[in-house]
Amino acid sequence: MTATVTDLGRAQARWLRLLAPASWLSGRLSFSRKFLLVGAVMLLALALLSWPLLRKAGQDAQSAELERRGLSALAQQAVVLDTLVRQRGELKGERSERPAAQAELQALLAWATAPQLPPNAPANSLPALALRLQQQWQQLQELGAQDDDAQRRFAAHTGTINALLALMRESARAHRLNVDPTLDAAFEMLSHRLPLLMETLSKQQDALALSSDSMASYALAAQVVLSEATPALRAGMQQLLAPGDRAGLQAQLDELLARIERQQDAVDKVLDAPQALAELRPLASANLAQAQALLVASTAQADALLQERLTQLRRSQWQVGALLVGAMAAIAYLFAGIYVSTLRSLRRLSQGTQDFCAGRLDTRIRIDTQDELVLVAGNFNTVASEVGRLLDVIREQNESRQRELEHLVQQRTLELADKNDQLHLAALRVQEELESARDMQQAILPQHFPDTADFSMQACMHPARELGGDFYDCFALSDGRWGFLVADVAGKGVGAAFFMAVSRTVLQDLAQDELGPEEVLARANDVLSGRNPMELFVTACYCIYDPRDGSLAYASAGHPAPLLRSAQGEVQALDCPRDIALGVLPGMSYSRRHAQLASGDTLLLYTDGITEAFDAAERAYGDERLIAWLQESQEPQAADKLASLVRDVADFVGGAEPSDDLTALLLCRKSRTEGAPLVETSTDSPDPSASPQARGALTVSHTPLELKNKTLLLEHRLHSRVEEITPLAEAVDQALADRPDLAFAVNLCLEELITNTIQHGLHGAPDRPIHVRLSRSDEWLEIILKDDAPPFDPFVEAPEPSLDASVEERAVGGLGVHMVKTMMDEVRAFYDGSGNLIVLLKTLKR
């Protein structure tokens, strides 16, 4: 069905394209011109169709006239032929006694040799044949009257007769007697067979009258010609008899053929007995007269037939002409009547429409015709009546419709309010999720920083949106050194936040391998280039600081140069080549630079979110303002100094929306006169067996942290079954309802550690008790996990994950423990003789 509809649509489109020119022309003509155009086209088409008929009738009439002239010439030539044939049979003495007959023959020959043809007659050989006839006649005249050579006179007469016969045949062709479709056999009989028969009948007698053996062959050849002429004569006569009853002609032909047979019998007798010539002569003379009479009668009959045909053709011409004129007159009359009637109806329709549009709604149109315009008028009257009725209905419905609309508007307003409430709730849920993600992002960044007798460090990251792409990190290295970095992921939002987490993990893991800054950046670039489906990149500045002598080694990957402020207040940008950013192209190398921090010096690492912070007037904070602030800052501690920077940027921006994430890290080398550190540290070097995270900011020594104002939040017991982790997660969410970010991190760590304990510590043994305690102090959240398994330390036994390897090449395990180390600020594992004890500490600072 669909295919049929499609085919019909295509056919209609083709018809529309075909009719496009006619439609274009019709659209640009007035109504009267359209009628005139159609009438003119019809009359022209009628004339073009009738013209071939008239032309054919005229051509046939011309052919008939030409054939009649040919018959007339043929009749005159037959008279000359009869005279020549009879003269050939006269005796010598008789020929000299007829001068009048010779003069008549001369005149007939002159006329026969100059036939009158029409100007457009085709080229033919009549002039040449006429000249030949004149020459033969001249030769015949040159034979003297005293010439007794009968055979020479016979041959001269025969040559003249043959020339006349050839002239008669060519004249018939010139007058197109041989191409007449209905009388071609009859014309062949008249122009060739009967003249040849007359000549043969006479020649047969004349040849035998010479009584010579050489002339006997003429008589025998004549018999053959006479025998062959019979079928042609009958065929020609049949065409003359076809239009009607011509019994007289048929009787003459039958009588002639019978006489020819008797003559042949007489010829046979003369050939056997020459004395029988007296019997042949009257018979041949009578046959010649009979043939001449048949030729005259047949010619008259053929002329009558041509005259009848010509009359019919002339009548056809007049009939076609009259029909054409009558048809044109009828068409013109009908078109004029249709035009007047249609125009009158259209004017009534137009006037009625104008009156109706002018506001006279009681207007009705009346047309006294039977064409389609009556339907148009009737439809107009129906529409006018319906419009009047509908106006009344509309007036009645307006008030009720207005009330319905008001009710509908109120209903839709309530629905929109409900929808807006739902959208608001959805937006709140989305905002809550984004805030949770932001808290999670802040949770994975270090929240506690070293503050020793030699130096203090502080960092912050304020995202422009819910999630940011900037990050920082600081961690302890071997030999008392510290590694720290500031990085900026291109872009903002969720994608940049995910790439930030991956980049921080990669950089932190590579830094723990005790590599130089340039090597850390080079390897991180290779790893991130292979894990960059969104084609992001990271600018970073990684530094290694030795507190013992204040030496600093650093490398930069397209990041702004760090600023160094001396104790005297002078600020300078460190030499920084700013190599290509991480994640753009693998296989890049990076430059290593060195600097020295003296007592009282301050080092600032920052992202362009500070210098490109814009106020309401679109003015940037800029490098100059940042350098001026650093010169004027007098705070001795890194935390106070960083807080001052954040306030200065906030005061400059005012209420303008942040354009980028704001991230900074401050390192202040203390002078010897400053006070004791906030956290007591040991002079011993870190335990090399401790995990990297255990050597973090809070674990530079083995001295336990002092948890002030400690409060128990949760004490939960479960059995070693994975399905019991869900009730524990719900209890943690209730205990930390005011800090969903911490609850999320705690649940992730507990799920990983309990699963590890069940699988690797207890080896899947069910119903073994596991005790979880959650406590909170002023600054810390403490999580204690106790079991009765054999000694098992997940932070030592779990393999370190290979983050730079592909998924197929990466070893199984280690990622979960690594996540716990990353999310918590301190992790410890002990065996107290009765079971394993795992202690996790997480700072409460946001």
Side-chain angles (χ1 to χ4, degrees):
M1 183 63 182
T2 303
T4 304
V5 173
T6 303
D7 293 340
L8 291 175
R10 291 176 179 174
Q12 185 177 8
R14 287 195 296 268
W15 274 109
L16 291 177
R17 287 196 299 270
L18 182 62
L19 296 176
S23 178
W24 176 86
L25 180 61
S26 176
R28 283 156 180 78
L29 294 178
S30 62
F31 184 75
S32 59
R33 291 182 178 179
K34 292 178 184 178
F35 262 82
L36 291 176
L37 177 62
V38 174
V41 170
M42 292 185 64
L43 293 176
L44 180 60
L46 184 61
L48 292 177
L49 291 175
S50 302
W51 172 248
L53 299 177
L54 293 173
R55 184 179 178 183
K56 181 64 170 59
Q59 290 177 348
D60 291 343
Q62 291 179 1
S63 299
E65 289 286 354
L66 182 62
E67 291 173 359
R68 290 193 67 197
R69 287 196 292 270
L71 281 178
S72 178
L74 188 63
Q76 297 294 331
Q77 291 165 355
V79 173
V80 176
L81 176 64
D82 182 66
T83 304
L84 287 175
V85 168
R86 292 183 181 279
Q87 190 182 64
R88 184 178 58 184
E90 292 179 352
L91 298 177
K92 175 180 177 182
E94 297 173 348
R95 179 173 174 270
S96 60
E97 296 176 356
R98 298 182 58 187
Q102 294 293 336
E104 181 183 355
L105 181 59
Q106 182 66 32
L108 289 174
L109 282 173
W111 183 90
T113 55
Q116 299 295 321
L117 295 178
N120 57 349
N124 53 70
S125 58
L126 278 179
L129 294 176
L131 180 60
R132 174 186 171 190
L133 179 58
Q134 290 288 351
Q135 293 173 352
Q136 290 292 335
W137 173 254
Q138 188 66 30
Q139 291 178 5
L140 181 60
Q141 294 299 317
E142 290 177 355
L143 292 175
Q146 301 300 323
D147 192 350
D148 294 333
D149 190 347
Q151 291 186 3
R152 289 186 61 188
R153 287 191 291 109
F154 178 83
H157 274 90
T158 302
T160 303
I161 293 173
N162 289 337
L164 180 58
L165 291 176
L167 182 64
M168 293 175 68
R169 289 194 298 272
E170 184 61 27
S171 177
R173 282 194 297 272
H175 290 85
R176 302 181 60 83
L177 299 181
N178 58 325
V179 295
D180 190 288
T182 57
L183 296 176
D184 52 351
F187 289 146
E188 170 70 13
M189 178 186 71
L190 296 176
S191 64
H192 178 58
R193 294 298 180 179
L194 278 177
L196 182 61
L197 180 65
M198 293 169 61
E199 193 273 342
T200 302
L201 291 174
S202 174
K203 184 171 64 175
Q204 190 178 49
Q205 171 196 339
D206 296 341
L208 293 176
L210 294 176
S211 301
S212 172
D213 294 337
S214 61
M215 301 302 292
S217 60
Y218 283 98
L220 296 176
Q223 289 183 338
V224 175
V225 173
L226 294 175
S227 299
E228 291 178 351
T230 300
L233 293 175
R234 293 187 181 278
M237 188 59 66
Q238 188 65 31
Q239 287 187 343
L240 293 177
L241 298 177
D245 186 12
R246 301 290 187 272
L249 289 177
Q250 184 64 46
Q252 291 182 30
L253 178 61
D254 294 340
E255 182 180 357
L256 177 60
L257 294 178
R259 286 176 174 275
I260 290 173
E261 291 180 359
R262 289 197 296 271
Q263 182 174 339
Q264 299 308 311
D265 295 338
V267 169
D268 293 338
K269 292 180 180 180
V270 172
L271 291 175
D272 295 335
Q275 62 273 13
L277 183 61
E279 182 182 352
L280 176 61
R281 180 172 291 136
L283 186 56
S285 178
N287 288 342
L288 182 60
Q290 183 70 23
Q292 177 66 19
L294 181 60
L295 178 60
V296 172
S298 298
T299 302
Q301 178 61 28
D303 185 70
L305 293 176
L306 289 177
Q307 180 61 36
E308 183 180 354
R309 180 192 299 175
L310 186 61
T311 302
Q312 292 177 353
L313 290 174
R314 297 301 184 190
R315 185 183 301 111
S316 298
Q317 284 182 309
W318 280 104
Q319 290 175 350
V320 172
L323 180 61
L324 177 61
V325 173
M328 290 182 177
I331 291 174
Y333 180 78
L334 289 175
F335 262 84
I338 294 172
Y339 170 72
V340 171
S341 174
T342 306
L343 185 61
R344 182 170 55 248
S345 299
L346 289 175
R347 285 176 177 173
R348 290 183 180 179
L349 287 172
S350 176
Q351 186 62 41
T353 304
Q354 292 178 359
D355 293 343
F356 186 82
C357 293
R360 291 187 287 275
L361 302 181
D362 57 344
T363 301
R364 299 295 182 268
I365 299 175
R366 294 176 177 80
I367 296 178
D368 300 329
T369 61
Q370 299 298 323
D371 54 17
E372 285 74 7
L373 293 178
V374 175
L375 299 178
V376 176
N379 292 335
F380 174 85
N381 296 334
T382 302
V383 170
S385 301
E386 288 295 320
V387 167
R389 187 182 63 83
L390 289 176
L391 286 176
D392 296 335
V393 174
I394 290 173
R395 293 189 187 96
E396 295 175 359
Q397 292 181 349
N398 276 340
E399 294 182 0
S400 60
R401 179 66 59 85
Q402 183 66 28
R403 290 191 297 270
E404 291 177 1
L405 288 176
E406 291 176 355
H407 176 71
L408 184 62
V409 168
Q410 293 176 358
Q411 183 179 0
R412 292 292 183 267
T413 302
L414 294 176
E415 292 177 358
L416 288 175
D418 183 58
K419 296 294 183 183
N420 288 335
D421 292 340
Q422 294 178 9
L423 289 176
H424 180 67
L425 293 176
L428 291 178
R429 287 195 296 270
V430 172
Q431 186 64 30
E432 182 180 352
E433 294 294 334
L434 290 176
E435 290 178 356
S436 298
R438 180 187 59 193
D439 294 339
M440 182 65 188
Q441 186 182 41
Q442 293 288 341
I444 66 175
L445 295 177
Q447 304 298 324
H448 187 81
F449 303 93
D451 187 1
T452 68
D454 295 325
F455 74 100
S456 64
M457 187 183 299
Q458 189 70 30
C460 68
M461 194 276 284
H462 298 281
R465 299 178 183 174
E466 287 79 3
L467 299 176
D470 292 0
F471 65 92
Y472 61 85
D473 205 351
C474 66
F475 38 80
L477 300 175
S478 62
D479 300 330
R481 296 177 302 160
W482 283 83
F484 56 92
L485 62 91
V486 170
D488 183 4
V489 178
K492 306 177 186 65
V494 178
F498 276 104
F499 199 65
M500 161 260 185
V502 174
S503 302
R504 177 181 178 274
T505 303
V506 171
L507 287 168
Q508 188 183 65
D509 289 345
L510 291 173
Q512 299 299 332
D513 293 338
E514 304 297 333
L515 302 175
E518 75 283 1
E519 295 179 352
V520 170
L521 294 183
R523 295 190 182 183
N525 176 63
D526 294 338
V527 174
L528 294 177
S529 297
R531 302 179 184 176
N532 194 4
M534 299 178 64
E535 298 183 357
L536 300 176
F537 61 87
V538 185
T539 64
C541 181
Y542 174 52
C543 306
I544 298 178
Y545 174 67
D546 192 342
R548 291 170 295 186
D549 56 4
S551 61
L552 181 72
Y554 62 93
S556 176
H559 202 77
L563 298 179
L564 179 61
R565 179 188 182 276
S566 66
Q568 293 76 25
E570 297 179 357
V571 178
Q572 64 174 347
L574 297 183
D575 179 25
C576 190
R578 295 187 69 175
D579 293 328
I580 191 168
L582 305 179
V584 178
L585 291 173
M588 302 302 297
S589 60
Y590 295 86
S591 302
R592 180 174 182 173
R593 294 290 187 272
H594 295 275
Q596 185 70 34
L597 271 67
S599 296
D601 287 355
T602 301
L603 181 67
L604 173 62
L605 277 67
Y606 64 95
T607 62
D608 55 6
I610 293 178
T611 57
E612 296 180 3
F614 295 95
D615 61 3
E618 295 296 328
R619 294 176 300 177
Y621 187 82
D623 296 329
E624 296 180 358
R625 190 180 298 272
L626 177 61
I627 293 174
W629 168 85
L630 189 58
Q631 289 175 343
E632 297 174 359
S633 63
Q634 301 296 330
E635 295 81 0
Q637 296 295 330
D640 298 334
K641 193 180 291 293
L642 184 59
S644 175
L645 174 60
V646 173
R647 285 194 303 271
D648 190 69
V649 174
D651 292 340
F652 172 79
V653 172
E657 183 180 357
S659 60
D660 202 353
D661 303 335
L662 188 152
T663 304
L665 184 145
L666 273 169
L667 171 64
C668 297
R669 188 177 186 190
K670 298 179 179 179
S671 61
R672 295 298 181 182
T673 61
E674 294 183 11
L678 297 177
V679 180
E680 184 180 12
T681 62
S682 172
T683 58
D684 297 336
S685 61
D687 183 8
S689 65
S691 65
Q693 189 64 29
R695 300 196 302 266
L698 297 179
T699 60
V700 296
S701 73
H702 297 291
T703 303
L705 294 172
E706 181 179 0
L707 304 181
K708 300 179 180 180
N709 301 323
K710 186 175 179 180
T711 303
L712 180 64
L713 300 178
L714 173 67
E715 188 166 1
H716 187 88
R717 295 182 181 274
L718 68 154
H719 295 88
S720 55
R721 289 193 293 269
V722 177
E723 57 269 23
E724 293 194 12
I725 297 178
T726 301
L728 173 61
E730 295 175 354
V732 171
D733 289 337
Q734 294 179 1
L736 296 173
D738 59 331
R739 291 295 300 273
D741 56 329
L742 292 179
F744 179 76
V746 170
N747 281 327
L748 283 179
C749 296
L750 287 176
E751 181 181 3
E752 176 62 29
L753 294 175
I754 292 174
T755 303
N756 259 327
T757 300
I758 295 173
Q759 293 181 354
H760 303 292
L762 298 174
H763 302 289
D767 300 326
R768 300 289 291 275
I770 299 176
H771 182 208
V772 178
R773 175 180 293 177
L774 187 63
S775 302
R776 181 173 184 172
S777 66
D778 292 341
E779 297 181 358
W780 299 94
L781 179 69
E782 181 186 60
I783 305 102
I784 298 177
L785 184 66
K786 179 67 185 295
D787 59 58
D788 62 348
F792 172 75
D793 187 351
F795 305 111
V796 175
E797 297 182 11
E800 287 293 328
S802 180
L803 300 177
D804 56 348
S806 63
V807 177
E808 293 81 4
E809 299 173 353
R810 185 179 300 165
V812 178
L815 287 176
V817 175
H818 177 75
M819 180 191 68
V820 174
K821 294 178 182 180
T822 302
M823 299 183 67
M824 294 291 141
D825 294 298
E826 183 175 1
V827 294
R828 298 283 181 87
F830 308 95
Y831 184 78
D832 60 357
S834 62
N836 297 297
L837 183 67
I838 297 176
V839 180
L840 308 178
L841 290 178
K842 178 66 176 178
T843 182
L844 296 176
K845 295 182 180 179
R846 288 184 180 272

